[in-house]
Amino acid sequence: MEMPGHGDHGDHGDHSRPMCAMNMSLNWSTDNVCVLFDFWRIDSRTSLLLSWAAVFLLGYLYELCRTRIRNWEMALGSGSASTGARARLETPLMASDGIAKSARIKRAVLYGLMVAYSYSLMLIFMTYNGYLILAVIAGAAAGHYAYSTDSLGSVRGANCH
């Protein structure tokens, strides 16, 4: 049925698949849950197990990436002759002192990628699906255990701007 004043706008997608379930409260559903993209759906136990493993791996690898970037930044700071190199890395207004432009560009690109990565994990969390929430937490905790060896530990917290 055509709506008055709207005209025929053609086909707006694949109508053979039901819309993604959009729950706004904690749930344990395995029926038509979309994870980040329309094509990544949970609609069976198999897709739930594969999705859980994928989300766990994403959380785990996030910690690996974060630790590697942090170690690179610390090495970048320790390469400076100044004793205040670490302070410069941690002080935004002085962050460019003694750091080559190419390193600053690399830091900015890595920062942007990590922001996108952390927001993606947040969006998975915001499906409010208990299985996926546990996968994010378990993956991040396992990655933190495996890769975080600095003295700051969990004080850093998760990044989700």
Side-chain angles (χ1 to χ4, degrees):
M1 180 173 135
E2 193 174 307
M3 297 289 291
H6 289 280
D8 182 17
H9 295 290
D11 191 10
H12 291 288
D14 182 11
H15 297 289
S16 64
R17 295 179 83 174
M19 288 183 56
C20 297
M22 297 295 292
N23 292 303
M24 296 305 292
S25 60
L26 184 64
N27 68 86
W28 299 93
S29 177
T30 58
D31 185 31
N32 206 30
V33 177
C34 289
V35 185
L36 289 183
F37 306 102
D38 187 48
F39 62 83
W40 185 1
R41 290 181 186 238
I42 297 174
D43 54 12
S44 67
R45 286 184 191 245
T46 302
S47 61
L48 172 64
L49 291 173
L50 291 173
S51 294
W52 197 94
V55 171
F56 177 92
L57 188 61
L58 287 171
Y60 184 86
L61 293 175
Y62 177 80
E63 289 298 320
L64 170 64
C65 293
R66 192 166 74 159
T67 300
R68 292 250 172 107
I69 291 169
R70 181 175 181 77
N71 291 343
W72 173 75
E73 286 180 326
M74 296 301 278
L76 182 67
S78 66
S80 174
S82 170
T83 57
R86 182 177 222 183
R88 282 195 304 272
L89 283 174
E90 296 171 355
T91 308
L93 295 177
M94 299 173 61
S96 63
D97 292 350
I99 298 175
K101 184 175 182 178
S102 61
R104 290 179 56 217
I105 291 170
K106 184 176 178 180
R107 282 178 72 195
V109 168
L110 290 172
Y111 177 79
L113 290 172
M114 290 305 291
V115 168
Y117 198 160
S118 68
Y119 275 130
S120 296
L121 288 173
M122 178 199 66
L123 288 172
I124 292 171
F125 208 93
M126 289 182 63
T127 63
Y128 297 103
N129 183 284
Y131 299 114
L132 297 179
I133 289 171
L134 291 175
V136 170
I137 293 169
H144 182 79
Y145 176 80
Y147 300 110
S148 184
T149 57
D150 62 14
S151 61
L152 297 177
S154 61
V155 173
R156 291 184 322 215
N159 292 337
C160 193
H161 300 73

